Structures are given as C-alpha cells and as structure tokens.
Amino acid sequence: MSMLVYLPTLLSSIFRLSIYIFLRVIPTSLAKFILPVLYSTHILSSILFIPQALDIAQSDKIKHVKPAPGPRHNAFQTLVLSLPTTSRRLRFSNILLNTLLLAAAADYVVTPYLDSATDVVFTRVGAVYPDSVKIVVRYPLANITSQPPLLLYREITCTPTPWKNGPLLTLLSDQDWVDTVKVEGLWPNTSYESTRFKFVVSSCATPNFPYRGPWYRRSIKGFDLLADYLYPPAVQSIDSSDAIPPSQADFMLFLGDFIYADMPIYIGDDKEAYRRLYRRNYNSDSFRKIYERLRKFINNFGASGIDSTPPYLNASGAFRLYNSNANFDPASPGEYYYEFRYGDAAFFVMDTRRYRTKAGTSKRTMLGDVQLAALHNWLSRVNATSIFKFVITSVPFTSLWGHDAQTDSWAGFPEEKKELLKISLLSE
C-alpha cells in the first residue's frame, strides 16, 4: 500500500486539531487561511489516493499464497482518526464530518455579521456616587410607541412611594439610540459607610467561545458562571420586578477586551462594525444577568496612542457610547483614566492604551507624563485618608507572560513599571 493513502489521514487530523484550537482555545484570524486550505486538500487527497483492495487472483505467483492480514480498524476508529479505508461509506462519512466541522467554524465567523442586535433594549447602572448615579439606556426608536421613554425612579421602602421623574433621555440614531444620564439628589446609603465590601474583576468576553454550537450564539459562558456565583439559584428565583436580589459582590471591574474586533476575523473599521459587537454583548442573556443587577465599572480600551490613527476614532467612539460614559467622571474631560472611592478604599483606574510610546523608544511609557502625574497627585491625596488603595491596570503587570506579552504588557515598559513599584512602596 502506497504511503500516499495516509495523506488524507494526515491532512484530516491536522484540520480537526486546527478546528479544535480555533473553536475552543484561541480564535486566531489565521484560521481564515489555514482551515479552507486544509479542508480542500483533504477532499482532493481523499479522491486521488483511495486504498485499493488486494486482488490475489491477478498474479499466478501469489495465487496460492494466503496474504498476511493487514491492520483492521472498526468504523469508530476510522471516523475518529480518519484512517484509510476501502469503504466508500466511511470515506464519505469522514468528509461529511469535516464538512460539519468547517460549517461550525463558518458559523462562528459569520455570526457577528448576521447577528446585528439592532433591536436590543437595556439599562444598566454605571458609576455610583454618594448622592447620584449614572445610568446607561438603549432604546431604539422602533420600540417607541406613543411617546419617548421617561426615566423614573423611587426609593425602595416597605410601603410603595411615588415615582419621580429622572433626567431627560436624548436618544438619537447617530448615537445608536444610547444615552447616559446622571440621577442626582439621592440620599447616601448606609452601606457606603462600611469598610467591608467585595468586588469582582474580569476581562475578555466574546459570545459563544469556547464554541458550543449555533444554538449558543449569544451565550457568554464566563458570565453564566459569574451569575451563578453572584446570584445562586435560590436567589435568582426572586422576582426581579419587585426587588434586586442580593449579590455576593458590590461592584465589578471589567478590565479589558469587552469586544474582539479582530478575532476570529477583523470585522472592519467603521462605526457600525464596533457598535454591532457591543450590541451583541448587551443582547446576551448571560451578560444581562450581570449588568441588570450589579454596579459595573469598566476600563476596557485598546488604541494606537494617536487619536487620528485608525481604528482609534471609531473604536473609541463605540467604547465611549456603551461603556465609558457610565464610568466615574475623569479629572479632565475626554480622558479614560479616572478615580473613585468606595467606603474607605480609593481606586485609580489607568488608561493603559491611549498614551503608549512605540517599542524601541528610549524610556518607553505606557501612561504618558500627564496620566502619571495624575496618578502621583491622586496618591498624595488618598494616602492618608484611605485605608486601601487600588491601582487598576487592564494589562498584566507581571513579566512572566511570553510571546507578544513581552512587548504589550508591563514587561515591555520596565522603567515605568519600576517607578510604579517604587511609589507603591513609598505609599505604605
């Protein structure tokens, strides 16, 4: 038997391994080149190199010789390992199985284009101050029947109190029907005086990854698990229309990669492309279980450092619309780094993307001089007034990660990292 009959087995095995890595480990954009090539070459080799059954009558020389038994495989082994076989049915089944795997990969790739989530409606709580709160609302005009939506609020008491009119919502199509308003004049809750609280930290969200099939296009497994922790099944049975169930955490810091515009493939540099990805996440029932009940503070942004360089403007516009506007107000308008306090703890959330200098420059900086000065100023103000100080970075502070993390994380900014460690020791 020619060794070429094992070529379809080799190609099919590499194809299936690549599919597994793409759908379950990392959805690299290289798959759009690798997977079609592997699939097509497997099909071609399966047609050209078919194992032939031994014909013992074709030669007098071997007419009376009993052939040595060759390797025998059952149908399950043949399908799983793509082993050579003379069975046309099994060869076709192998091709069909690989076709279904390719279809699953294609489903994962095209879903962001097909699922635009233009009709998603949501509200979520953003920054919470002692006497006010920010609220994000998305309500497309198509859902408005007789009059624009009105934000109402009231205090939760034993006996129902009248609803109060909140700030006016400005919902415009060029803002993707999203608005962030600030409800002021609230009474501080006694929990703000407590020094004991819990918060959760997360990052990196994309629907249906690891891939579980087309029936889970809007699911985000990590948020499902987080919801089960924050709101155990016994608590989730509470009617959310009457009261917000108690949570295992007071708020959440989402530190990076709220969307992926370049994986599994680059979705394009225009406003709608980025907004569609944000809408898909907010349209996810998995995420809805989190943002409808939990206060959420997000610092999630990736930029080139130059405002005019694509895709900065469109990417930051979508980030600002859906996430940043609900964060605490920055000291300087237009910035993405900010500070806030919770009880006796002070937080400084850094912008680790916008002000980076390129690799190879002397004294490379991630924060920039202005932001670094703001960090020093914040630390001088809270050092004697807050028991705990948290400096939040959306990229790993460790230097142990390999590959591109050696230049993208703090490992690529050793001088500035050393300075941050120095001021953290001085603040103790």
Side-chain angles (χ1 to χ4, degrees):
M1 182 183 292
S2 173
M3 293 300 293
L4 287 176
V5 298
Y6 288 97
L7 181 60
T9 299
L10 177 62
L11 293 172
S12 179
S13 299
I14 297 175
F15 171 77
R16 293 177 183 182
L17 178 62
S18 301
I19 284 284
Y20 177 81
I21 293 174
F22 176 68
L23 294 180
R24 304 290 298 179
V25 181
I26 179 170
T28 172
S29 58
L30 294 176
K32 65 182 179 181
F33 305 109
I34 297 174
L35 295 181
V37 171
L38 288 174
Y39 175 78
S40 58
T41 53
H42 169 253
I43 298 295
L44 183 61
S45 63
S46 297
I47 297 173
L48 295 179
F49 307 113
I50 301 175
Q52 299 296 321
L54 179 63
D55 185 1
I56 61 174
Q58 73 181 55
S59 172
D60 293 335
K61 192 173 183 179
I62 62 171
K63 187 173 183 178
H64 302 292
V65 178
K66 185 178 181 180
R72 310 189 69 159
H73 311 289
N74 60 37
F76 179 76
Q77 289 176 320
T78 302
L79 287 176
V80 172
L81 302 177
S82 300
L83 297 174
T85 176
T86 57
S87 170
R88 181 179 298 178
R89 179 178 297 177
L90 288 178
R91 292 199 307 273
F92 176 78
S93 298
N94 257 322
I95 293 175
L96 178 61
L97 180 58
N98 285 350
T99 302
L100 292 176
L101 291 174
L102 184 66
D107 171 69
Y108 181 63
V109 169
V110 302
T111 293
Y113 295 93
L114 301 179
D115 185 17
S116 61
T118 54
D119 58 345
V120 61
V121 176
F122 71 85
T123 61
R124 76 168 179 90
V125 175
V128 178
Y129 300 86
D131 59 351
S132 60
V133 61
K134 285 187 174 183
I135 297 178
V136 184
V137 178
R138 187 180 193 272
Y139 203 92
L141 184 61
N143 295 302
I144 298 176
T145 53
S146 57
Q147 60 183 8
L150 180 64
L151 179 64
L152 302 175
Y153 69 98
R154 67 180 179 183
E155 183 180 356
I156 299 177
T157 58
C158 296
T159 58
T161 57
W163 290 99
K164 298 179 181 180
N165 291 339
L168 181 65
L169 292 169
T170 304
L171 302 171
L172 304 173
S173 60
D174 62 345
Q175 296 298 313
D176 207 21
W177 309 110
V178 180
D179 191 23
T180 301
V181 295
K182 192 173 186 180
V183 180
E184 299 180 299
L186 305 178
W187 287 96
N189 190 290
T190 53
S191 63
Y192 288 108
E193 301 301 322
S194 174
T195 59
R196 295 185 59 186
F197 62 90
K198 294 181 180 179
F199 65 93
V200 294
V201 176
S202 183
S203 67
C204 308
T206 188
N208 201 16
F209 187 82
Y211 184 78
R212 293 188 291 165
W215 302 274
Y216 298 91
R217 288 177 175 176
R218 293 180 176 177
S219 70
I220 302 176
K221 183 65 174 178
F223 285 139
D224 287 330
L225 297 175
L226 179 60
D228 290 340
Y229 166 76
L230 295 177
Y231 311 99
V235 176
Q236 292 194 43
S237 63
I238 299 176
D239 185 359
S240 60
S241 63
D242 296 332
I244 297 178
S247 172
Q248 298 291 328
D250 293 76
F251 61 89
M252 174 180 177
L253 288 166
F254 197 96
L255 300 188
D257 297 336
F258 185 78
I259 64 168
Y260 283 91
D262 58 346
M263 291 195 305
I265 60 174
Y266 184 46
I267 198 170
D269 177 28
D270 61 77
K271 289 182 179 180
E272 173 57 22
Y274 292 105
R275 291 176 177 181
R276 179 164 62 245
L277 294 176
Y278 278 92
R279 290 197 303 264
R280 287 191 67 221
N281 280 8
Y282 277 102
N283 202 31
S284 167
D285 289 337
S286 306
F287 186 35
R288 190 179 294 272
K289 290 184 290 187
I290 303 299
Y291 70 73
E292 284 190 346
R293 308 188 210 180
L294 187 68
R295 285 186 290 253
K296 206 167 176 307
F297 311 104
I298 301 177
N299 177 50
N300 165 47
F301 186 67
S304 63
I306 304 175
D307 290 13
S308 59
T309 301
Y312 182 89
L313 291 177
N314 292 328
S316 63
F319 166 68
R320 183 172 57 253
L321 198 62
Y322 277 91
N323 287 349
S324 175
N325 285 343
N327 288 340
F328 286 94
D329 295 330
S332 302
E335 302 293 351
Y336 291 139
Y337 57 88
Y338 57 92
E339 60 182 81
F340 67 94
R341 300 177 76 112
Y342 198 92
D344 282 340
F347 294 78
F348 188 96
V349 183
M350 298 187 293
D351 181 348
T352 58
R353 294 289 179 181
R354 193 177 189 182
Y355 301 106
R356 292 178 169 219
T357 54
K358 295 181 179 180
T361 57
S362 59
K363 199 178 180 182
R364 194 179 179 205
T365 177
M366 182 184 290
L367 305 179
D369 293 337
V370 176
Q371 183 178 186
L372 189 58
L375 175 60
H376 280 273
N377 178 268
W378 166 82
L379 195 56
S380 66
R381 287 185 285 108
V382 303
N383 197 31
T385 59
S386 299
I387 298 177
F388 300 102
K389 280 83 66 178
F390 294 90
V391 179
I392 310 300
T393 170
S394 63
V395 296
F397 201 70
T398 178
S399 300
L400 299 178
W401 286 23
H403 303 291
D404 61 338
Q406 288 297 309
T407 55
D408 184 70
S409 72
W410 281 98
F413 303 82
E415 295 297 326
E416 197 164 48
K417 177 182 178 180
K418 183 178 179 180
E419 183 175 352
L420 290 179
L421 290 173
K422 181 179 178 181
I423 63 174
S424 66
L425 292 174
L426 292 177
S427 65
E428 292 182 352

